Amino acid sequence: MASNGSPLHSAVPSGPLADKWTKHKNESKLINPANKRKYSVIVVGSGLAGGSAAATLSELGYQVKCFCYQDSPRRAHSIAAQGGINAAKNYQNDGDSVYRLFYDTIKGGDFRAREANVYRLAEVSANIIDQCVAQGVPFAREYGGLLDNRSFGGAQVSRTFYAAGQTGQQLLIGCYQALSKEIARGGVKMYSRTEMLDLVLVDGHAKGIIVRDLVTGEISRHAADCVILATGGYGNVFYLSTNAMGCNVMAAFRAHKRGAYFANPCYTQIHPTCIPVSGDYQSKLTLMSESLRNDGRVWAPKKKEDAEAIRTGRKIAADIAEDDRDYFLERKYPSFGNLAPRDVSSRSAKEACDEGRGVAPTGLGVYLDFRDAIQRLGRNTIEARYGNLFQMYEKIAGTDPYTSPMMIYPAVHYTMGGLWVDYNLMSNIPGLHVLGEANFSDHGANRLGASALMQGLADGYFVIPATLPNYLAGQKPGTVKTDDPAFAEAEEAARARIHQLLSVNGKRTVDSFHRELGMLVWDKCGMARNEPGLKEALARIPAIREEFWSNVRVPGEGANLNAELEKAGRVADFIDFAELMCHDALNREESCGGHFREEYQFTEADDDVKSGYTNPGEAKRRDDAFCHVSAWESAGPGNTPILHIEPLAFEAVKLSVRSYK
Amino acid sequence: MNLTLKVWRQKNATDHGRIETYEARSIPAEASFLEMLDIVNERLIEGGGEPIHFDHDCREGICGMCSLTINGVPHSKERGITTCQVHMRKFRDGDTIWIEPFRARAFPVVRDLVVDRTAFDRIVAAGGFISVRTGSAQDANALPVPKDDADASFAAAACIGCGACVAACKNASAMLFVGAKAAHLNLLPQGKPEQDKRVLAMVRQMDAEGFGGCTNQYECEAVCPKEISADVIAKLNRDYTAAAVKEAVC
């Protein structure tokens, strides 16, 4: 696919892969301590990426303003990550190394990530653990007092550090405490319950934002020498996902409309182990940590009749004889078994259900069974490992996983795509930097478990503090003020949009539009996509948009806490974003990682299948045509976006068919 | 199922507020409590009314954002869960449910069931951290921590900062919250150097925010969704006393 825009420059340093980051740091610009305090930085988002960046930049002496929509920075959605964080410490002496973590991550991403970024991520992973332990993050420990590890999907070593089933919470609290320390010192001014409405560009550089105080409705301007977005992913475009209710794409999408390129929006991660959907009132889906697959075995009945009997309540899991159970991950991927990566495991579960072997009442669910692990290790050990997760499952599903297996089904969980950034984590807009899930850079087409926390903290604690001066050193501090006409224009546009949302006064609720959009994209741009489906979605989205802007009902007023108004602004952007996502999915005529185009899969006719290297039905990449990042430039509402390409060059790894057999 | 809701409505911080009654018809028993409110709100909006405002975000019991009382109990009378983890199957058809905000002087109402809990942020900023600059840490395994200490620290660190402890307490005391943060950090060797400074600063900030004193009723422990033990309060009192004595004689 030829691009119709200019090519992108990733600013990856030259030299051997293992030396690039060190070399880059040595060659990066520095700002002396007396001058650092003259520079101001805006950080939007207070999760692991934003919180760690805000705290660290403040420690370095910059004046930081940090914004979050929640009532406290401690509540950012990083908190919900359960299983763990990867680091190449090799404390287990099982052969781990920076190279292996790098290789697993790049292979896990189906060779669609930027090699140098991924290597850097693996390289700083060890520092993250050191930093977090020093902050008092209570990771799980062994009796000798040293740190414990567990295994995660897509890896054959134990490199995941964890704090029971609430690793994200503990890491975020460490980060929040570091942020609080800087707030108290005066280095960070925190704005909670505040939402970014627009990005302000002055002479083509990101120099500020327009925000709304969600309690008073006041709209205000904030100027700085640069802007950092750490605003998370866009999973809620699907309406139902494991994301928090407030997670949204607004900040990133506003930046996109101001010129920032959006990279690989079609890469979405569908997590295999979530509690199945039970009804149309449902507001969100709950993830059961991937760590459960260390001991749980995933299966569905071999026979459709058995599945049917379970669905209608005539049989239970225990009635199915061992020989009649299909442990499909162990069968298809013997070397990784139940720890096959997320994209592969999700598609296998979908396949079993599509064959009529699903066990949930809706037909969309398979078992995650701990019977054998409880027999082998005893209930106490399983309780110590996963007690809170089992309890969470019992609360929601109403059945006890110690005695009957969990039911799981894939759900939208994470988004690998995001705003395009170079090696310095700067977007194509000078001064606009993007960290964590909001950028696209490290996970390619599929993220491995326990890597999101790693990336967020790597970006915030270690990468941006080193790369930001490369931009700031070329800027005279404090030159842009909020009386610049660009602020007035952006503020006016933000006010007009709110006024418009409040004055439609139609008949349908915001949620009804969100549900309609979500069902459409889940159906046409979810776990499997094809050309006719994507074209249909692209034809239907404009109609949803048109009805939204003519028939949405947003009660109340702007000058008050107004949850419906907040949702309306976010859903309006999700509608436009869904269009971009489908364009990208249609354009990428290959299957890779989380992006599965039904037209491109291995069949019995392929040599790799005949040789037994891979299975029919696995994702088939087209490296000749699509070994690149697709970065989209907005061409205005209703127009096809403009594609820019960043070719992916692999110096250290050889592209191969990704097999977990 | 059909329910009658008695809900606290209050336009903003200066409004007086009142209980209003809503009929919630045909609610699926599988729905969560907050999904029940979603359904009621959609109907309110469709009927030209204003939805009931409540705080919520992750809806899986970990972010600490949801904060209301159900029949007078913060979160729920069921132990160890947050409001978002309450399911309608726990109620009976025909029930009347009273829904009110967390009540405490230090948690002013923002709107309806939404309260301002930023006092907690200011308490943490007063000393609820370990001062370690990014990049200055030694190898993570250089300092072994006995497993029992690490586990006890973790148990205290499980606090999600929801504020139910304050809402349940007749004195609106924040001792469980402050005790949990202090225990999390004071139990670890990394947290020792700042222990005295930490407890003095956090307790003084707690008092300045208008939280009441602890009179050992343990309502806080009973409603804590993370089941944090009131032992952290005893530990806080010990640590505070020791620090205050040292401060007085130095």
Side-chain angles (χ1 to χ4, degrees), chain A residues 536-600:
Chain A
E536 190 193 326
L538 283 169
R540 282 170 56 189
I541 293 168
I544 297 177
R545 172 169 44 228
E546 197 174 317
E547 202 198 338
F548 178 86
W549 286 103
S550 61
N551 196 25
V552 73
R553 181 177 195 89
V554 184
E557 59 276 349
N560 204 354
L561 181 68
N562 187 337
E564 288 299 307
L565 178 61
E566 294 165 27
K567 280 196 281 186
R570 295 167 190 166
V571 170
D573 278 351
F574 275 136
I575 295 172
D576 293 350
F577 175 79
E579 211 167 22
L580 179 67
M581 183 169 79
C582 292
H583 271 298
D584 187 42
L586 183 62
N587 174 269
R588 187 166 282 277
E589 295 174 337
E590 66 163 347
S591 294
C592 56
H595 171 63
F596 189 74
R597 279 285 296 268
E598 288 169 344
E599 301 95 319
Y600 306 98

Side-chain angles (χ1 to χ4, degrees), chain A residues 176-177 284 509 515 561, chain B residues 42 60 111 121 139 181:
Chain A
Y176 160 71
Q177 289 172 182
K284 78 154 277 165
T509 61
R515 270 194 295 270
L561 181 68
Chain B
E42 272 208 271
E60 51 190 69
R111 181 169 190 181
D121 289 328
D139 183 85
K181 183 48 53 205

Side-chain angles (χ1 to χ4, degrees), chain A residues 23-38:
Chain A
K23 177 172 178 279
H24 190 68
K25 282 190 288 183
N26 290 340
E27 291 171 358
S28 285
K29 296 192 171 106
L30 293 173
I31 297 173
N32 85 50
N35 285 338
K36 278 201 192 89
R37 61 175 174 262
K38 296 178 189 159

Side-chain angles (χ1 to χ4, degrees), chain B:
Chain B
M1 55 207 298
N2 298 317
L3 304 152
T4 302
L5 308 182
K6 301 277 186 184
V7 185
W8 184 259
R9 300 302 307 259
Q10 183 175 339
K11 186 91 185 162
N12 52 43
T14 53
D15 183 23
H16 278 305
R18 70 214 68 82
I19 291 281
E20 288 187 8
T21 306
Y22 302 92
E23 296 302 323
R25 304 253 162 237
S26 311
I27 301 296
E30 298 78 27
S32 73
F33 189 83
L34 295 184
E35 285 166 348
M36 181 273 292
L37 286 180
D38 290 341
I39 294 170
V40 169
N41 274 345
E42 272 208 271
R43 291 174 189 166
L44 273 175
I45 296 165
E46 283 163 355
E50 289 218 25
I52 301 158
H53 278 71
F54 57 92
D55 262 333
H56 65 106
D57 204 21
C58 79
R59 295 206 178 186
E60 51 190 69
I62 196 72
C63 75
M65 190 102 172
C66 59
S67 62
L68 48 81
T69 66
I70 300 174
N71 293 330
V73 183
H75 295 305
S76 152
K77 65 179 182 188
E78 197 181 341
R79 293 237 166 177
I81 58 172
T82 55
T83 303
C84 66
Q85 293 175 301
V86 177
H87 279 74
M88 295 313 293
R89 58 174 167 264
K90 301 286 180 188
F91 295 90
R92 278 171 311 189
D93 190 30
D95 274 359
T96 295
I97 307 173
W98 293 77
I99 308 170
E100 292 172 85
F102 281 4
R103 302 257 185 219
R105 184 192 298 161
F107 289 168
V109 172
V110 174
R111 181 169 190 181
D112 297 341
L113 308 168
V114 176
V115 299
D116 178 351
R117 288 167 288 182
T118 49
F120 274 10
D121 289 328
R122 291 186 290 273
I123 293 173
V124 173
F129 50 78
I130 291 172
S131 302
V132 48
R133 291 173 64 90
T134 304
S136 57
Q138 61 179 350
D139 183 85
N141 259 352
L143 180 66
V145 180
K147 184 168 170 31
D148 291 343
D149 292 350
D151 288 350
S153 168
F154 173 81
C159 167
I160 57 174
C162 64
C165 46
V166 173
C169 177
K170 64 177 184 181
N171 306 325
S173 169
M175 282 294 275
L176 192 72
F177 170 79
V178 177
K181 183 48 53 205
H184 160 209
L185 299 172
N186 294 353
L187 283 163
L188 295 171
Q190 300 91 307
K192 292 292 181 203
E194 292 170 289
Q195 174 170 322
D196 292 345
K197 195 164 161 259
R198 173 179 307 121
V199 292
L200 292 174
M202 287 176 76
V203 169
R204 283 164 191 168
Q205 186 65 35
M206 173 183 80
D207 291 343
E209 295 288 350
F211 293 103
C214 172
T215 48
N216 297 307
Q217 306 294 300
Y218 304 143
E219 297 280 350
C220 50
E221 184 185 84
V223 299
C224 175
K226 298 298 152 186
E227 303 186 270
I228 290 173
S229 163
D231 289 354
V232 297
I233 297 178
K235 177 169 167 53
L236 177 63
N237 282 330
R238 275 200 309 278
D239 290 350
Y240 180 84
T241 307
V245 168
K246 278 189 232 168
E247 187 188 44
V249 298
C250 284

Side-chain angles (χ1 to χ4, degrees), chain A residues 604-653:
Chain A
E604 301 288 356
D606 285 299
D607 289 342
D608 283 323
V609 174
K610 284 181 194 158
S611 69
Y613 181 70
T614 192
N615 298 319
E618 298 290 350
K620 193 173 190 182
R621 288 199 325 264
R622 292 176 60 204
D623 293 336
D624 52 335
F626 289 97
C627 192
H628 62 240
V629 176
S630 300
W632 299 90
E633 178 185 351
S634 173
N639 298 321
T640 308
I642 300 157
L643 176 63
H644 299 260
I645 276 175
E646 180 198 334
L648 290 170
F650 292 93
E651 296 167 17
V653 302

Side-chain angles (χ1 to χ4, degrees), chain A residues 160-211:
Chain A
T160 304
F161 294 79
Y162 66 101
Q166 46 179 265
T167 315
Q169 188 201 356
Q170 295 309 327
L171 293 176
L172 185 64
I173 285 175
C175 177
Y176 160 71
Q177 289 172 182
L179 183 62
S180 298
K181 160 177 76 73
E182 292 304 305
I183 291 169
R185 200 185 57 79
V188 178
K189 180 144 177 49
M190 186 71 217
Y191 297 81
S192 52
R193 288 202 203 264
T194 305
E195 180 158 71
M196 171 176 153
L197 298 180
D198 208 351
L199 177 71
V200 181
L201 268 54
V202 177
D203 299 329
H205 288 236
K207 292 293 176 192
I209 58 174
I210 304 295
V211 302

